[in-house]
Structure formats: C-alpha cells, structure tokens
Amino acid sequence: MLVYRLPGTFDTREAHLDLLWEAGATGLEERAGHIRAYFGARTALPPEIADGDWTEEAEQDWQAEFRRTLRPVRAGRLTIVAPWHAGEAEEGTRPLIIEPGMAFGTGHHATTRMATEALSELDLAGVRVLDVGTGSGVLAIAAALLGAGFALGVDIDPITIPIARENAEINGVAPAQARFEEGTLGLGDLPELEEAPFGVVVANLYAELHDLLAGEYAAHLVPGGPLVLTGILTGKLDLVRAALDREGFTGVTVREDGDWALVTARRGEEP
C-alpha cells in the first residue's frame, strides 16, 4: 500500500485536502499529527502539498477504518452523519446525511459544525437562505432541514455541484427546497441572486474572501438579516471585523474553537 504522509491535521491543512483528492488519493486519514493519503501509484503533487513523504506499508482495509472512525457529530438541532451511520442521530435531533468525498464537508471540521450550530439557533421557518461556497452542500441542506423556505448553494468549483445535489437527494430535500448552482456573487449570472434579498446569508470560506465579499453579502441580505461567516483562522479575525464594520454590519459576535472562528452579524437597517 502506497501512503503519502503530510505533516499537519485536517484542521490545519483543510485547504490542501481537495488537492490530495484531485491528485488521485483513494482515501484520507488523520493520525499522529499527520494526514495520510492513500494512492494506487506514486504521482507528481502540486507544491502546496509537496512537504510530505512517500512510504510503502502493509495492505489494510482503509475504507473500513475510515467508516469506523468517522462518527456522527452533533450540531445544534441536527446530527451530521455519514450514510452508514444514518440511524445514529442523537435523540432529539434530526440526521443530516453527508457522503464524504471530494467536496470536503462532513461536519467533523469545526467550521462546518459551528456554522450548522449557528443556523440551528435561528428561526428559519419560511426564510430564504444563501450558502456561499456551498461545497458538499451541508449548510444549505441544513437550512432546508431546519425549516428554511428555500436555500440556494453557490460555488465556483463545478465539481462540487453534483455532489451537493446528491447529498440533498439523500436527505430527501427537493430542488424546490434547496438548489445548487455554479456561480459567483455580484456578476448577475444566477437569476436567483437577482430576486428579493435573502433572509440569511451563510459562508464557510476564508478571511480574505470574506473581506472581498462583504459588500456582496450586504447586497444580498435583507436589512437586519443575520450573516454567518466561518472558515476564519483566529489570527485573521481583525480582517473580517474591519470588513463588516466597513459595510455597516452590526451586532458582531465571535465564537472560537481551537484555531478557527465563527463570526455572526446583522446587516444594518436602512436609514
């Protein structure tokens, strides 16, 4: 079995996980301060992930091990589970089933869990929700399961969209409840973005993108509407705070989990 060992954890190397999948990894595992990527053959890797080392190890059933270790995660009123744990949601919660794959977002990362918890704390009944950088679709699907009237997930990566749609179908969420489209904010390329503003905007990106998109968040959000931002390293909180202040957001709150932070705010009321 050919293993590529990369220093770090899923949290510290989150941005590199998709690069490993795209390079041909057949599985990923976090163990003893390293990410272990399993390959069928040695392959050239992009420079961002070239600081690891290749090893040959005895064959093992990594899929069985992955299934064993990927446990359900409680996130507010939902429990995020893989399909093989669909019957193991915590009592009093609803299962949110996510198939692990290239669009990483199983709920085990602190940012996904915190954002799902934040959505659980809102009254989403009948509300239109915009999920920016939807990935696996987990946050848009969560919003639909929590009672949103409609959720739109957008992502610039076309590979994520069919995965998000499959995850929605697994959860019994119809396109009328949650739709997923390739696109960007502010370019008018999606008619849904030209309709009435959304009641809630959620985005699991990174601080620099939140800084760039803060004006678009405001433009697509009703006055007083909640904004939920995550994917933010705690060292980059000042950048996000400054962007929200620049765009007139109020009531900014911060929740931290290790190196990661969730920021919530509300769009300022119209003068």
Side-chain angles (χ1 to χ4, degrees):
M1 178 173 60
L2 193 59
V3 180
Y4 185 68
R5 296 173 68 254
L6 192 66
T9 66
F10 285 163
D11 282 359
T12 61
R13 306 290 297 245
E14 184 189 21
H16 299 152
L17 298 176
D18 278 351
L19 293 177
L20 289 166
W21 288 117
E22 291 165 7
T26 57
L28 298 178
E29 179 187 13
E30 182 182 314
R31 188 193 301 177
H34 284 77
I35 295 171
R36 294 163 55 85
Y38 299 93
F39 287 86
R42 189 180 292 251
T43 185
L45 297 172
E48 296 93 332
I49 52 174
D51 55 326
D53 57 87
W54 293 96
T55 60
E56 286 278 358
E57 299 184 7
E59 289 291 338
Q60 70 178 51
D61 188 348
W62 68 264
Q63 287 187 326
E65 181 67 11
F66 179 63
R67 286 171 174 255
R68 185 185 67 80
T69 58
L70 194 69
R71 303 302 302 167
V73 173
R74 171 75 180 266
R77 290 183 278 146
L78 302 173
T79 297
I80 306 173
V81 296
W84 52 89
H85 291 309
E88 299 182 28
E90 286 194 28
E91 185 176 356
T93 69
R94 184 168 181 174
L96 168 52
I97 304 168
I98 297 295
E99 178 71 56
M102 289 180 66
F104 212 77
T106 64
H108 289 70
H109 194 278
T111 59
T112 307
R113 176 176 46 75
M114 286 193 294
T116 305
E117 289 171 345
L119 290 174
S120 289
E121 294 166 3
L122 299 173
D123 181 4
L124 297 181
V127 173
R128 296 176 75 241
V129 177
L130 175 62
D131 174 16
V132 183
T134 192
S136 66
V138 58
L139 297 179
I141 296 167
L145 294 177
L146 291 167
F150 172 71
L152 175 65
V154 296
D155 204 297
I156 63 172
D157 185 356
I159 203 170
T160 68
I161 303 305
I163 295 170
R165 290 171 179 166
E166 289 174 11
N167 282 327
E169 185 176 355
I170 290 170
N171 284 276
V173 173
Q177 299 171 279
R179 192 155 60 251
F180 301 92
E181 303 291 347
E182 179 187 356
T184 58
L185 297 181
L187 299 182
D189 53 354
L190 291 177
E192 295 89 350
L193 295 177
E194 299 302 312
E195 298 173 5
F198 291 82
V200 174
V201 172
V202 58
N204 185 359
L205 299 170
Y206 52 88
E208 290 81 359
L209 273 178
H210 292 319
D211 178 38
L212 290 172
L213 292 172
E216 296 296 337
Y217 296 155
H220 292 293
L221 190 58
V222 298
L227 175 68
V228 178
L229 303 180
T230 191
I232 305 163
L233 288 166
T234 54
K236 299 291 184 69
L237 275 169
D238 287 347
L239 177 64
V240 177
R241 286 178 177 273
L244 295 180
D245 183 64
R246 181 183 72 230
E247 299 299 334
F249 283 91
T250 62
V252 176
T253 64
V254 175
R255 184 182 307 170
E256 297 183 14
D257 188 327
D259 294 331
W260 298 96
L262 173 109
V263 176
T264 59
R266 289 184 179 269
R267 181 188 163 189
E269 298 286 350
E270 298 286 1

